[in-house]
């Protein structure tokens, strides 16, 4: 097993670097509707990418896949077009994979799948409490290709302090089992570089392997290309970072059930420590 690594950027130079380093999916993030309100005041990624970014990257992303997160399912307004128009536009621009975020109902997923209509890989992002509570019904929709569990918005929905509480409390595991039972490919959350992150990437990777997850986002903790300006530095970070992830994966392939259980216990302990620290800071 090897994790499909995804990185968000609309910068052609960064996209080329990431692709060369072995990142599997270059991700254009067009989601903005409602995002500012629900993540107000938080240090989260709000990209404001456009269809023009998809078109610009299409000629560059030739070895990796070009992935696009569209907006939550919506009707047309005076400010923006409908979901149908948006999805048609990104497919015309060359998207290989399309992600539907922040849905709450089976109907939204059904509409999304109908609109994509097999023209691209259809991925849904489970990141609302309503989607979790209706997950069996949602997963019954024919045509879903992949599922990603979005820990950022989902942990906010449950009033948690730290996104990986969802990993420690078994929520992610329960969802993974349900998705796996449908024979779908799935992933969750993001990872930094090996040895980095509030919860170091290697422990999260252990949980990916234990739970059968095959997709992971490379987070800002891996490389924040908005801060690191020098292209050669970015290239070194990506080459070394992806290489270390692949090396770690080879180790994880040989872990025993007991070792995976131990890693799960360590994750739970570290999450508790992080939450306690956050609570002490108010």
């Amino acid at each position: 097993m090897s994790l499909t690594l995804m990185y968000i950027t609309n910068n052609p130079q960064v996209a080329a670097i990431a692709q060369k380093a072995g990142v599997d999916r270059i991700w254009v993030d067009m989601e903005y509707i409602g995002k500012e309100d629900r993540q107000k005041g938080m240090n989260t990624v709000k990209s404001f990418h456009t269809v023009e970014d998809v078109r610009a990257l299409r000629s560059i992303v030739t070895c990796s896949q070009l992935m696009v997160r569209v907006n939550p399912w919506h009707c047309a307004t005076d400010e923006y077009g409908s979901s149908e128009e948006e999805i048609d536009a990104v497919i015309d621009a060359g998207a290989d994979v399309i992600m539907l975020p922040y849905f709450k109902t089976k109907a939204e997923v059904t509409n999304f799948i109908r609109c994509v209509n097999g023209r691209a890989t259809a991925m849904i992002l489970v990141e609302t409490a309503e989607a979790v509570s209706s997950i069996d019904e949602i997963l019954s929709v024919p045509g879903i290709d992949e599922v990603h569990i979005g820990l950022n918005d989902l942990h906010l929905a449950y009033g948690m302090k730290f996104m990986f509480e969802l990993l420690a409390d078994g929520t992610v595991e329960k969802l993974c089992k349900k998705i796996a039972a449908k024979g779908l490919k799935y992933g969750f959350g993001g990872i930094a570089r090996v040895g980095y992150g509030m919860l170091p990437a290697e422990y999260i990777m252990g949980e990916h392997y234990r739970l059968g997850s095959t997709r992971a986002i490379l987070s800002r903790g891996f490389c924040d290309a908005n801060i690191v300006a020098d292209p050669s530095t970015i290239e070194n970070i990506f080459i070394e970072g992806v290489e270390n992830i692949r090396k770690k994966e080879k180790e994880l392939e040989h872990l025993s059930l007991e070792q995976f259980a131990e890693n799960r216990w360590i994750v739970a302990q570290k999450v508790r420590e992080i939450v306690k620290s956050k609570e002490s800071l108010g």
Side-chain angles (χ1 to χ4, degrees):
M1 184 182 101
S2 182
L3 289 171
T4 294
L5 303 177
M6 306 178 286
Y7 186 75
I8 297 174
T9 186
N10 68 336
N11 183 312
Q13 188 174 31
V14 175
I17 289 170
Q19 176 177 244
K20 183 180 177 182
V23 174
D24 302 286
R25 289 179 177 172
I26 307 303
W27 176 344
V28 175
D29 186 9
M30 291 174 50
E31 183 192 7
Y32 72 93
I33 297 175
K35 195 168 186 177
E36 181 65 39
D37 290 336
R38 68 179 186 263
Q39 297 182 0
K40 193 171 184 178
M42 297 189 67
N43 183 25
T44 53
V45 176
K46 301 177 185 72
S47 302
F48 300 102
H49 296 170
T50 67
V51 175
E52 291 306 316
D53 292 316
V54 182
R55 193 170 287 110
L57 290 188
R58 181 65 281 177
S59 62
I60 294 166
V61 181
T62 54
C63 299
S64 303
Q65 288 185 305
L66 184 55
M67 176 173 162
V68 181
R69 173 162 57 187
V70 293
N71 281 290
W73 189 263
H74 62 278
C75 298
T77 71
D78 292 338
E79 297 179 26
Y80 42 74
S82 67
S83 281
E84 289 95 337
E85 293 171 308
E86 185 176 59
I87 290 168
D88 284 344
V90 300
I91 289 173
D92 288 343
D96 296 310
V97 183
I98 303 177
M99 171 188 275
L100 176 70
Y102 213 73
F103 60 87
K104 297 181 179 180
T105 67
K106 177 183 178 181
E108 291 170 284
V109 174
T110 300
N111 286 334
F112 169 67
I113 297 300
R114 171 186 53 77
C115 188
V116 174
N117 194 28
R119 294 178 293 167
T121 297
M123 175 189 279
I124 61 172
L125 180 62
V126 177
E127 56 180 348
T128 67
E130 293 87 347
V132 172
S133 64
S134 302
I135 194 64
D136 293 322
E137 186 181 15
I138 287 165
L139 291 177
S140 71
V141 176
I144 298 171
D145 294 308
E146 301 179 12
V147 183
H148 200 81
I149 304 167
L151 304 186
N152 198 7
D153 274 312
L154 192 55
H155 95 280
L156 295 177
Y158 290 134
M160 294 177 173
K161 298 283 187 182
F162 182 48
M163 68 178 70
F164 286 107
E165 286 183 77
L166 293 162
L167 187 57
D169 74 359
T171 299
V172 171
E173 182 163 1
K174 289 175 185 177
L175 288 170
C176 286
K177 286 180 177 178
K178 288 179 178 291
I179 300 164
K182 292 292 184 178
L184 299 172
K185 297 176 181 178
Y186 56 94
F188 62 85
I191 55 174
R193 283 175 278 166
V194 172
Y196 291 79
M198 191 175 294
L199 178 60
E202 53 269 33
Y203 296 111
I204 302 170
M205 288 176 62
E207 284 290 85
H208 277 278
Y209 269 67
R210 184 179 72 84
L211 298 174
S213 164
T214 58
R215 277 106 179 87
I217 301 164
L218 296 178
S219 67
R220 282 182 296 171
F222 180 90
C223 180
D224 190 342
N226 292 318
I227 294 176
V228 182
D230 178 45
S232 62
T233 302
I234 293 173
E235 184 171 14
N236 290 336
I237 289 172
F238 269 97
I239 290 173
E240 183 180 358
V242 172
E243 183 178 324
N244 286 339
I245 286 173
R246 298 311 184 197
K247 285 179 180 177
K248 186 63 183 178
E249 286 182 317
K250 292 186 183 302
E251 296 175 19
L252 292 170
E253 287 173 357
H254 301 290
L255 258 58
S256 65
L257 292 177
E258 291 77 12
Q259 288 171 310
F260 278 122
E262 181 182 2
N263 183 76
R264 181 177 184 273
W265 182 86
I266 292 171
V267 166
Q269 287 293 107
K270 288 186 176 294
V271 167
R272 278 193 286 270
E273 291 169 7
I274 291 166
V275 171
K276 187 175 180 180
S277 174
K278 285 179 173 287
E279 289 174 343
S280 68
L281 295 173

